[in-house]
Amino acid sequence: MASSVGKSWKENILDQLKRRNRRQRQLFQDLIQSHNKLFENATSLKAKNVHLAVETEKLKEENLSLQIKAETGGSGLHGSGSALLEQKLFRLQEELTELHRKRGENSQQIIDLKNVLQEKEKELQLKDSKLSDAESNTISLKNAIRHLESTILELEATNQMLKDEHQALQLAFAALEEKYRKCQEENGELVARWMDLKSKDADKLNEENDVVVKRRQAQLKRELEEAAKENVNIKPQEDVGVFMPGMAICLSVSLPTKAQYVFDAHEGDVNAVRWSPSGKQFATGGADRRIKLWEYVNGKCELKGMLLGSNAGIMAVDFDFEETLLLGASNDFASRVWSLSDLRLRHTLTGHSGKVLAAKFMADAKVVSGSHDRTLKVWDLHSRACTKTIFAGSSCNDLITMHSTNIISGHFDKRVRFWDSRSENSTNEILLSGRLTSLDLSTDRYSLLCCTRDDTLKVLDLRMNQVSQTLCDDNFRVGCDWCRAVFSPDGSYAVAGSGDGALFIWNISKNKVEKVLREHNHSVVACSWHPVGSFVVSCQRQKKAILWSDF
């Protein structure tokens, strides 16, 4: 194969050289012939010139001899011979002159032909160089062709191998599909059997729960009997607030010790969690634009409903006092209100020009929202309109409501601001050492818990209008600008999540960390304490939520 390729290549080069030789000879054929003729003429003229020169010398010698004879001989002979010789000499001189002229012309033609020949030789050299470049380019192209041919062969082999693998995978897929179908049939049978066993286990668990409930009731009865023996000073009604039917009452807080149930709450980050006022259910809001309602049943958190309608991630949730409506603040610059009876969207409150990071219910069917656009807005649910806009001067990360008109907001500029919705300006403000991420009000409404980005929790005494305690720990880190910390229902503890996934519980009276719970593997964003004080729910940035308890 290689010898035949080399032979054809040599023959191709030889044919090209012959064609070039013929083409270039045709250009110079006439010139060469004329040069040869001129060269022959010049040679013949040179021979004639030599012959004439010889004859001239002879004639000169004869003339000299005749002159000598004339001098020695008679005058008659001298006159006639001299005239003949002079005529002959004159003709010879004319012929010599003509020969010299022709010689000059021939010489000039030879010079011109030499110049033309040199130019043609230069052109020939240039064409030879171009031909050598073309030959080298031809060689490189042939090498490239051979390389591409080998590459094509390799690709064809690879393609054939992939086809074989694809056929094998198709056969394997068909076998797996058949196996999958059989597994589905077996799974259906197992699910039916498992449901029967689950119903039996549920009956057993209900019996155990009845025992636990009776035990807790007995414990509660003992605590009530002990509490009844103590002297209690009853506060006036305006200090303790208004009793709401269906509200849970916390008699004593039990610190959680273990993760009772770990579950995936949302498909992305879980940004908010809150128990309902009665404690029957809790809500979570996530970056997947959903709010989910959960109920704790038989040691597990079961999904009871899903609220849709938001166009961006949910940042905060809140139940109304009667537990008939749920409020959600969203990153799409709006807040929304859903009814809990049918899980339908009732109100969409739009008007902010930035992310809404916090929203709370107020009295008289009103809602207040705080936004990244540095404003607070008060909404009337009856008219579905904004009744008041408060220009706070800084991005609002969280807010709470007091009584029917008072609002407390925490801001990016490290200030806690106090507002009366009936006035335009702030009634008071407190500067802290870090920007605010969350606010929470104690049940007696005397203390305010502030979480700040300097990795501390501040307890504000609202009666003295100053910081009364600072809760901190060397390992506690606030993970984001919307990290939420809350009081326990009795106000004796505070709980907050850390950026390393730990849940810190502080004893406020002792000003120290009472317990650190570790189960999360991402930053803990929000937590909520059950109104009775028996459970804590916390959520992290990656899907998970955990229900904590002490049993």
Side-chain angles (χ1 to χ4, degrees), residues 116-130:
V116 173
L117 183 61
Q118 289 177 356
E119 292 178 356
K120 297 296 182 180
E121 286 178 350
K122 290 180 180 178
E123 291 179 0
L124 184 61
Q125 291 177 357
L126 180 62
K127 290 182 179 180
D128 287 337
S129 64
K130 289 182 178 180

Side-chain angles (χ1 to χ4, degrees), residues 193-262:
R193 292 168 56 188
W194 178 72
M195 291 298 294
D196 295 336
L197 293 174
K198 186 176 179 182
S199 61
K200 295 178 181 179
D201 291 339
D203 295 336
K204 292 180 181 179
L205 187 59
N206 289 332
E207 293 176 359
E208 293 176 0
N209 287 336
D210 292 338
V211 174
V212 173
V213 170
K214 290 178 181 179
R215 190 180 301 165
R216 292 182 68 88
Q217 288 177 352
Q219 182 182 355
L220 181 60
K221 184 177 180 181
R222 288 194 300 270
E223 291 176 355
L224 288 174
E225 289 175 354
E226 293 175 359
K229 295 178 182 179
E230 298 178 0
N231 294 324
V232 179
N233 295 324
I234 300 175
K235 298 179 181 180
Q237 186 175 356
E238 59 272 16
D239 293 335
V240 299
V242 180
F243 174 76
M244 299 299 297
M247 296 285 287
I249 299 174
C250 177
L251 299 177
S252 64
V253 170
S254 59
L255 292 181
T257 57
K258 65 177 182 178
Q260 181 71 24
Y261 188 65
V262 181

Side-chain angles (χ1 to χ4, degrees), residues 226-501:
E226 293 175 359
K229 295 178 182 179
E230 298 178 0
N231 294 324
V232 179
N233 295 324
I234 300 175
K235 298 179 181 180
Q237 186 175 356
E238 59 272 16
D239 293 335
V240 299
V242 180
F243 174 76
M244 299 299 297
M247 296 285 287
I249 299 174
C250 177
L251 299 177
S252 64
V253 170
S254 59
L255 292 181
T257 57
K258 65 177 182 178
Q260 181 71 24
Y261 188 65
V262 181
F263 60 101
D264 289 341
H266 291 270
E267 295 179 1
D269 295 353
V270 188
N271 298 324
V273 60
R274 181 174 291 273
W275 283 98
S276 64
S278 66
K280 294 180 180 179
Q281 59 185 346
F282 65 91
T284 58
D288 58 359
R289 303 176 295 176
R290 293 175 173 85
I291 296 177
K292 294 184 179 181
L293 298 174
W294 306 86
E295 185 176 347
Y296 180 69
V297 179
N298 298 329
K300 297 182 180 180
C301 296
E302 296 182 358
L303 181 62
K304 294 300 180 182
M306 188 181 303
L307 307 180
L308 306 175
S310 177
N311 297 318
I314 303 296
M315 301 304 297
V317 294
D318 189 35
F319 290 91
D320 70 336
F321 301 109
E322 291 81 12
E323 204 168 326
T324 58
L325 300 175
L326 189 138
L327 173 64
S330 174
N331 276 338
D332 63 354
F333 307 169
S335 301
R336 291 173 176 82
V337 179
W338 290 266
S339 61
L340 295 177
S341 59
D342 54 4
L343 305 182
R344 293 181 61 186
L345 179 63
R346 297 298 181 184
H347 308 286
T348 299
L349 310 176
T350 58
H352 284 289
S353 60
K355 299 177 182 178
V356 182
L357 302 178
K360 291 290 191 301
F361 281 106
M362 298 179 66
D364 301 328
K366 291 184 179 180
V367 168
V368 60
S369 59
S371 171
H372 197 267
D373 63 2
R374 299 179 293 179
T375 65
L376 308 179
K377 288 184 180 291
V378 180
W379 310 84
D380 188 349
L381 298 183
H382 295 303
S383 60
R384 302 182 183 181
C386 177
T387 60
K388 188 175 185 61
T389 298
I390 300 173
F391 296 94
S394 178
S395 173
C396 177
N397 290 334
D398 198 10
L399 56 83
I400 59 173
T401 59
M402 291 181 62
H403 309 299
S404 59
T405 58
N406 294 331
I407 304 168
I408 304 176
S409 57
H411 296 271
F412 186 84
D413 62 356
K414 307 178 183 180
R415 284 177 167 80
V416 180
R417 291 180 171 86
F418 298 81
W419 310 89
D420 189 334
S421 60
R422 296 168 296 184
S423 64
E424 296 291 335
N425 299 322
S426 171
T427 58
N428 186 27
E429 65 179 36
I430 299 175
L431 178 63
L432 300 181
S433 57
R435 59 180 182 268
L436 276 297
T437 66
S438 75
L439 301 175
D440 191 47
L441 190 65
S442 63
T443 53
D444 59 6
R445 298 179 179 269
Y446 293 153
S447 300
L448 182 67
L449 181 64
C450 306
C451 182
T452 60
R453 283 312 299 266
D454 62 351
D455 301 327
T456 62
L457 303 183
K458 303 289 194 305
V459 180
L460 300 183
D461 189 338
L462 298 180
R463 294 168 296 184
M464 301 297 294
N465 202 27
Q466 63 182 10
V467 177
S468 61
Q469 286 176 294
T470 298
L471 308 176
C472 60
D473 188 84
D474 293 337
N475 298 319
F476 177 70
R477 297 289 182 271
V478 177
C480 58
D481 282 350
W482 52 91
C483 183
R484 310 301 189 191
V486 295
F487 277 118
S488 64
D490 62 355
S492 57
Y493 297 96
V495 60
S498 176
D500 61 356

